[in-house]
Amino acid sequence: MGLERMLRAVLFMVAVAAGVERGMIRPVEASSRSPFSAMIMLGDSTVDVGTNNVLDTLVKCNFPPYGRDLTVNLPRGRFCDGLLTHDYLAEEFGFPYQIAYLSRAGQEDQLLNGVNFASGGSGWLNLTADTYNLNSFGKQIDQLREYKNELIAMVGQSRADYIISNALYLISTGANDYTLGYYSNPMLQEKYTVSQYQQLIRDSQFLYLKDMYDLGARNVLISSTPPIGCLPASITLYGYRGLDNDGCVKDLNEAARTYNADTVRELEPKFQQYFQGAKFVFFDTYSPLYDVFVHPESFGYKESRRGCCGTGLVEVSLLCNEATPGTCEDASKYVFWDSFHPTTGVYRRIKDYLVPLIKEAFDF
């Protein structure tokens, strides 16, 4: 064990002892399967575990058939038939499944292992969140600040700082800025070119990431924008714009690709300049998801042009319910669960893709 790790271990034990002596909640040991103290999620429906359940919004999924293939007893609220990528990462790294911050009452002790702030339908910009009464990314940052203060009250400043600075943060958002934002709003298209809109997103993204850094975040994974032109809903709603040779909406995928490339090129140097002592890492989900969407049979799937729920062409949230006709019996044959979201099998594949990248990025 290196000197730095030894010092961390000593500080950790001192913080634990101080908290116990004051009669506070006993801190939970970090998992031995990773160097992280906790897992903290921010973003949209790809990582939401129930935030929207308690919001006054139509963007919900706390009813059947959502969650029908869960192998563990968890509250409904995931936009999927089963677990999500970060759930599988939690299993991999020895953490419990994270709870939604807005549903923490009576479960405050679980906050010591991390928390989930994600809100389905939100994006880097406030547009869709404001439209559908969701938790915007800015609000999620505010809740991260509240969470840190709660940790301080629970276990003291030193231990709270340790949890915050040694946690793994996973951010998955951005698709809604296009599918529910720019391409569904003619006024935005008149006001901004695609590149101008992308720069607006990027500017907001950097400011939010700086807020996270200032709060103590040091290990941050940021998902790229996925191939949004291959979503069944995108093909249904925006197919008139033109499809590429693989049958996906060309404009939407091109916007995702250029945004991903330009964001890495612009923001990575800023991370090195402004985020000293931290690792803010972009990871590419576009490429592996595109391969699965376009060549499903190569990965053991039979259907990628429509989701399992109903017709699979437009159904999502309230439109995907227990009475929706046509829902498939075996979602494992489908790439998509509803018209926007992958099945749990695809999320598991993303986990398998991410684990070695995370280990390489964070040296364990």
Side-chain angles (χ1 to χ4, degrees):
M1 179 183 295
L3 178 59
E4 182 179 353
R5 289 191 177 183
M6 290 179 65
L7 289 173
R8 283 185 180 179
V10 170
L11 289 172
F12 167 73
M13 289 185 286
V14 170
V16 170
V20 171
E21 286 175 2
R22 289 194 297 270
M24 295 180 177
I25 295 174
R26 183 179 296 276
V28 177
E29 295 282 354
S31 170
S32 60
R33 301 185 204 172
S34 76
F36 308 118
S37 58
M39 286 184 61
I40 298 173
M41 273 65 66
L42 303 94
D44 57 22
S45 56
T46 56
V47 284
D48 187 355
V49 297
T51 293
N52 286 13
N53 292 359
V54 297
L55 298 178
D56 184 17
T57 179
L58 296 176
V59 186
K60 294 180 182 290
C61 63
N62 55 340
F63 44 79
Y66 285 100
R68 74 174 193 187
D69 296 323
L70 281 173
T71 57
V72 291
N73 184 23
L74 291 171
R76 293 186 189 274
R78 290 165 171 79
F79 288 81
C80 187
D81 58 312
L83 296 175
L84 306 175
T85 293
H86 64 82
D87 294 315
Y88 291 117
L89 285 175
E91 292 179 347
E92 180 79 22
F93 295 146
F95 289 103
Y97 304 119
Q98 304 307 309
I99 61 171
Y101 182 67
L102 294 183
S103 299
R104 68 193 182 283
Q107 306 178 82
E108 286 84 358
D109 60 324
Q110 293 194 45
L111 297 179
L112 299 172
N113 292 298
V115 71
N116 189 307
F117 301 104
S119 178
S122 63
W124 287 112
L125 302 179
N126 292 339
L127 178 65
T128 60
D130 292 344
T131 301
Y132 297 102
N133 195 33
L134 308 168
N135 271 12
S136 66
F137 203 88
K139 190 171 292 185
Q140 293 177 43
I141 296 296
D142 291 339
Q143 291 173 344
L144 174 61
R145 187 174 291 105
E146 294 174 17
Y147 165 70
K148 182 176 181 179
N149 290 332
E150 288 187 44
L151 288 180
I152 293 171
M154 292 167 69
V155 295
Q157 185 75 54
S158 296
R159 176 59 181 161
D161 287 343
Y162 177 88
I163 293 172
I164 291 293
S165 63
N166 288 279
L168 174 65
Y169 295 79
L170 177 63
I171 300 173
S172 180
T173 195
N176 295 317
D177 291 311
Y178 297 96
T179 57
L180 301 180
Y182 187 79
Y183 286 103
S184 65
N185 190 331
M187 294 180 64
L188 283 176
Q189 295 176 50
E190 287 184 11
K191 186 175 182 179
Y192 303 103
T193 65
V194 173
S195 61
Q196 288 171 337
Y197 186 74
Q198 290 173 327
Q199 189 61 52
L200 186 67
I201 297 173
R202 202 153 33 242
D203 291 343
S204 295
Q205 180 181 8
F206 178 74
L207 291 176
Y208 287 138
L209 295 176
K210 186 178 184 303
D211 286 341
M212 292 179 63
Y213 177 81
D214 291 342
L215 284 169
R218 294 296 180 267
N219 310 300
V220 183
L221 283 171
I222 308 153
S223 174
S224 68
T225 302
I228 51 179
C230 295
L231 304 180
S234 294
I235 296 171
T236 301
L237 298 174
Y238 305 113
Y240 68 90
R241 300 182 68 90
L243 303 181
D244 60 22
N245 293 334
D246 292 317
C248 300
V249 183
K250 186 176 181 179
D251 287 358
L252 271 66
N253 275 355
E254 180 63 20
R257 283 194 298 266
T258 57
Y259 177 79
N260 292 337
D262 291 345
T263 297
V264 171
R265 182 165 49 249
E266 178 179 326
L267 293 192
E268 280 196 339
K270 287 187 176 182
F271 292 169
Q272 296 174 10
Q273 179 180 359
Y274 294 105
F275 299 164
Q276 297 295 315
K279 290 184 177 180
F280 280 59
V281 180
F282 289 106
F283 64 92
D284 173 32
T285 55
Y286 184 101
S287 299
L289 284 174
Y290 188 84
D291 287 343
V292 175
F293 294 170
V294 174
H295 305 291
E297 62 285 343
S298 299
F299 299 90
Y301 301 105
K302 293 184 177 180
E303 179 60 70
S304 66
R305 309 303 295 178
R306 61 189 181 92
C308 168
C309 190
T311 68
L313 302 177
V314 294
E315 291 85 352
V316 66
S317 190
L318 295 178
L319 295 179
C320 175
N321 59 69
E322 199 167 20
T324 301
T327 299
C328 76
E329 294 183 1
D330 185 1
S332 68
K333 298 176 181 177
Y334 285 69
V335 171
F336 288 97
W337 165 245
D338 58 24
S339 66
F340 273 89
H341 305 101
T343 55
T344 188
V346 174
Y347 281 122
R348 188 187 297 112
R349 286 183 181 275
I350 299 173
K351 183 273 296 185
D352 293 338
Y353 164 76
L354 282 179
V355 167
L357 298 181
I358 294 172
K359 289 183 176 181
E360 179 180 1
F362 296 101
D363 304 319
F364 73 97

